Amino acid sequence: MRVSIIGCGTVGASWAALFLAHGHDVTATDPAPGARERLDAFVESARRQLADLGLRGEGRLRFVAGTAEALEGAEYVQENAPENEALKRALLAEIDRQAAPEVLIASSTSALVRSAIVADCARPERVLVAHPFNPPHLVPLVEIVAGDAQVAARAAALYRGLGRRPVILRREMPGHIANRLASALYREAVNLVAEGVASVADIDAALCHGPGLRWALMGPHLTYHLGGGPGGIAHYLEHLGPSQERRWASLGRPALTPEVRAAIAAGVAAEAGSLGIADLEARRDRALIAILKARTPVAPEPEDQP
Amino acid sequence: MRVSIIGCGTVGASWAALFLAHGHDVTATDPAPGARERLDAFVESARRQLADLGLRGEGRLRFVAGTAEALEGAEYVQENAPENEALKRALLAEIDRQAAPEVLIASSTSALVRSAIVADCARPERVLVAHPFNPPHLVPLVEIVAGDAQVAARAAALYRGLGRRPVILRREMPGHIANRLASALYREAVNLVAEGVASVADIDAALCHGPGLRWALMGPHLTYHLGGGPGGIAHYLEHLGPSQERRWASLGRPALTPEVRAAIAAGVAAEAGSLGIADLEARRDRALIAILKARTPVAPEPEDQP
């Protein structure tokens, strides 16, 4: 398949590496100075990570000067421009004008909703949101928002072919699913710092040595299903639902004041110790690869259902 | 060390298995009919899991008829009675009267705060909360709430010796840390079901194939530190803090109505397919053991700090 990657920041470069490692040819473009060099460097380091995961495809990578050239012969388009509604709206309209009519156009947008960014497209039905998680070449989730169920199904099949785990939203929602869950959790994580309950490092440790460990294997609903004993989630909700609702009422509503932001930044600095961002990213990627090799999610995959 | 386990439900039995696998002798008691048989069965199956993790200690397990006998010669006490404030308050006062004065008494309470349950103790300073995560013999987190910093430090050292990751709260908070984070996330997971955004199975998948995968390796603050690029968390909070606050304001405030509870239960049933609770628990435990063997958390442990 010939894939067009429009926008080669961290997300676009990671998508490019994933398509290439699955043997697809990628034509990429990005107007930023130095974009080609950053793309080549990212793809080379991601290539080694993906080979470690058994993905040794050798698609051809071409970097070109503009969107029109990048779209020549494209059979799939993944757009990864900055999270600016006017910019994406105009860019998707331009891609929609130039790409062959049967080609699906996917936007990686995390913060914008599909209805807003397809508003100027002549063929909006073939334009979808396919939002990955950082780094997209390692984290399997792809959140799909489409205006047409067949488009969603075609895109989901394509991402499954890339070893991703697509999730199809029944309707659009700002932040889609996963970033809303993350944001809800982060609000309380900030509250616990603001309230002086524990250090930033200990709040982070409480997640990754506790519920976070289980959440790499199953989501919150299945987790409470196992928390309900033999009666499962129905028993859990009947007997502990009221205490969940009391807990919800007790959650904090912090503001990111300069003081709170400073406390978080100081706490993260203490947590990271001597490790800089690049060190932490390298540790994260090595650890992600290790658990991706080791884990078996608890819930059966839909296609595994009897 | 001689450990007294007061209350042998899932949590107490799991604690017993962990102490035994580290070579400590355990004296356990529980008034429930059949408690001894359930304890023996749990300890035997957990013993195999812990051996798989390299823990092959062979402490002696004794089940006795009552609290007084269980406390004879105890050097550490782990209380795991039902989450009933009056019951725990009276039980901890009884344990405090009977245990040798220098012995620390830890309560596994998840829902109650320390100040309430130690109120009738003659020596409250040696009574602490040490809250584990299910299943405690596999999940490393232990949340510690003590009235005395030296007691907290002594208990933390003991749990580190059991391969746990203790986190010391600076002040008590209902739900401690991790269950508050989990509850905040669950509120939005319920909201997404109530709003019909996706199926229960897809909401669960969005967590465990997305942010949950990273949260097995690092907490939310460090995750956003890496989301901030070279500028880290300070840059993230300065530039994306306002969008976090807008997201927080947009989060749902669902109620667990009969309709919502039924939709969640039906969705979990579809997600679990033919797998019953015991199957799912076995899959969870196998998967937990696999990622515990494979993972290296991203943040350096405090003792590793230069």
Side-chain angles (χ1 to χ4, degrees):
Chain A
M1 183 170 70
R2 295 175 64 178
V3 180
S4 174
I5 300 287
I6 309 297
C8 303
T10 313
V11 172
S14 180
W15 273 127
L18 184 68
F19 280 105
L20 291 165
H22 281 271
H24 301 295
D25 293 333
V26 170
T27 308
T29 190
D30 190 305
R36 177 199 294 254
E37 292 67 29
R38 284 193 300 277
L39 172 64
D40 290 341
F42 188 100
V43 164
E44 177 52 27
S45 90
R47 193 183 57 75
R48 288 190 295 268
Q49 296 175 330
L50 291 164
D52 188 12
L53 286 168
L55 299 171
R56 299 192 169 80
E58 299 198 340
R60 268 181 53 255
L61 173 62
R62 279 176 59 231
F63 186 92
V64 298
T67 304
E69 192 178 350
L71 292 170
E72 284 170 16
E75 295 166 280
Y76 195 77
V77 181
Q78 188 81 43
E79 169 276 313
N80 322 281
E83 292 289 319
N84 173 310
E85 183 170 318
L87 183 158
K88 273 199 197 278
R89 184 169 165 159
L91 177 60
L92 288 171
E94 178 190 355
I95 295 170
D96 180 42
R97 276 193 304 275
Q98 297 177 341
E102 70 282 3
V103 170
L104 296 189
I105 300 165
S107 172
S108 298
T109 187
S110 62
L112 307 173
V113 292
R114 177 182 171 277
S115 57
I117 57 179
V118 304
D120 294 340
C121 293
R123 304 183 191 81
E125 67 285 348
R126 54 98 163 242
V127 183
L128 63 136
V129 168
H131 172 244
F133 251 66
N134 220 19
H137 67 288
L138 296 180
V139 178
L141 177 63
V142 180
E143 298 177 301
I144 294 176
V145 186
D148 176 299
Q150 289 183 319
V151 168
R154 272 177 64 196
L158 182 142
Y159 290 111
R160 277 195 190 279
L162 295 169
R164 305 299 87 189
R165 176 56 161 85
V167 158
I168 299 175
L169 276 69
R170 291 169 176 167
R171 62 184 187 81
E172 70 180 17
M173 177 66 96
H176 316 314
I177 296 169
N179 273 334
R180 292 182 68 84
L181 300 178
S183 193
L185 181 140
Y186 195 52
R187 175 159 64 170
E188 187 58 22
V190 168
N191 179 58
L192 292 168
V193 175
E195 293 292 319
V197 171
S199 70
V200 164
D202 278 352
I203 293 163
D204 275 357
L207 183 64
C208 76
H209 296 287
L213 197 57
R214 299 186 309 203
W215 286 338
L217 303 170
M218 56 185 171
H221 295 294
L222 196 62
T223 299
Y224 286 117
H225 185 48
L226 295 185
I233 188 77
H235 181 272
Y236 174 84
L237 292 173
E238 186 181 343
H239 291 266
L240 293 174
S243 64
Q244 270 286 356
E245 289 180 311
R246 282 191 299 274
R247 177 68 39 78
W248 293 347
S250 84
L251 296 172
R253 322 195 85 209
L256 287 168
T257 62
E259 296 68 25
V260 168
R261 281 160 35 194
I264 293 170
V268 169
E271 178 182 21
S274 58
L275 300 175
I277 296 285
D279 306 313
L280 293 164
E281 281 179 342
R283 285 168 65 100
R284 175 198 66 192
D285 289 355
R286 278 197 303 274
L288 275 174
I289 289 164
I291 63 173
L292 283 168
K293 286 176 174 178
R295 79 178 185 140
T296 313
V298 174
E301 282 295 288
E303 61 269 25
D304 302 335
Q305 295 275 4
Chain B
M1 185 171 67
R2 296 176 63 178
V3 180
S4 175
I5 300 287
I6 309 298
C8 305
T10 314
V11 171
S14 179
W15 273 127
L18 183 68
F19 280 105
L20 292 165
H22 281 271
H24 301 295
D25 293 334
V26 169
T27 308
T29 190
D30 190 306
R36 178 200 293 256
E37 292 66 28
R38 284 193 300 277
L39 173 63
D40 290 341
F42 188 99
V43 164
E44 177 51 27
S45 89
R47 193 184 57 74
R48 288 191 294 270
Q49 296 175 329
L50 291 164
D52 188 12
L53 285 168
L55 300 171
R56 299 191 169 80
E58 298 197 341
R60 270 182 52 252
L61 174 61
R62 282 176 59 229
F63 186 92
V64 298
T67 304
E69 192 180 346
L71 292 170
E72 284 169 16
E75 296 166 279
Y76 196 78
V77 181
Q78 188 81 44
E79 170 274 314
N80 323 282
E83 293 288 317
N84 172 309
E85 184 171 316
L87 183 156
K88 273 202 198 273
R89 185 169 164 158
L91 177 59
L92 288 170
E94 179 190 355
I95 296 169
D96 180 41
R97 277 192 303 276
Q98 297 177 342
E102 71 282 1
V103 171
L104 297 188
I105 301 165
S107 172
S108 298
T109 187
S110 62
L112 307 173
V113 292
R114 177 181 171 276
S115 57
I117 57 179
V118 304
D120 295 340
C121 292
R123 303 183 190 82
E125 67 286 348
R126 53 99 162 240
V127 184
L128 62 138
V129 168
H131 172 244
F133 251 67
N134 222 16
H137 67 287
L138 296 180
V139 179
L141 178 63
V142 180
E143 297 177 302
I144 294 176
V145 186
D148 176 298
Q150 290 182 319
V151 167
R154 274 177 63 195
L158 182 141
Y159 291 110
R160 278 195 190 279
L162 296 169
R164 304 300 86 189
R165 176 56 161 87
V167 158
I168 299 175
L169 276 69
R170 293 170 175 166
R171 61 185 188 80
E172 68 180 20
M173 178 65 101
H176 315 314
I177 296 169
N179 272 334
R180 292 182 68 84
L181 299 178
S183 193
L185 181 140
Y186 195 51
R187 175 159 64 170
E188 186 59 22
V190 168
N191 179 58
L192 291 167
V193 175
E195 293 291 318
V197 172
S199 71
V200 164
D202 278 351
I203 292 163
D204 275 358
L207 183 64
C208 77
H209 296 287
L213 195 58
R214 299 186 309 203
W215 285 338
L217 302 170
M218 56 184 171
H221 295 294
L222 197 61
T223 299
Y224 286 118
H225 186 47
L226 295 187
I233 188 78
H235 181 272
Y236 175 84
L237 292 173
E238 186 182 345
H239 292 266
L240 293 174
S243 64
Q244 271 285 358
E245 290 180 310
R246 283 192 298 275
R247 177 68 38 77
W248 293 347
S250 84
L251 295 172
R253 321 196 83 208
L256 287 168
T257 62
E259 296 68 25
V260 169
R261 281 159 37 194
I264 293 171
V268 168
E271 178 182 19
S274 58
L275 299 175
I277 296 285
D279 306 312
L280 293 165
E281 281 178 342
R283 284 168 66 100
R284 176 198 65 192
D285 289 357
R286 278 197 303 273
L288 275 174
I289 289 164
I291 63 171
L292 283 167
K293 287 176 173 178
R295 80 178 184 141
T296 312
V298 174
E301 282 295 288
E303 62 269 24
D304 302 335
Q305 295 274 3

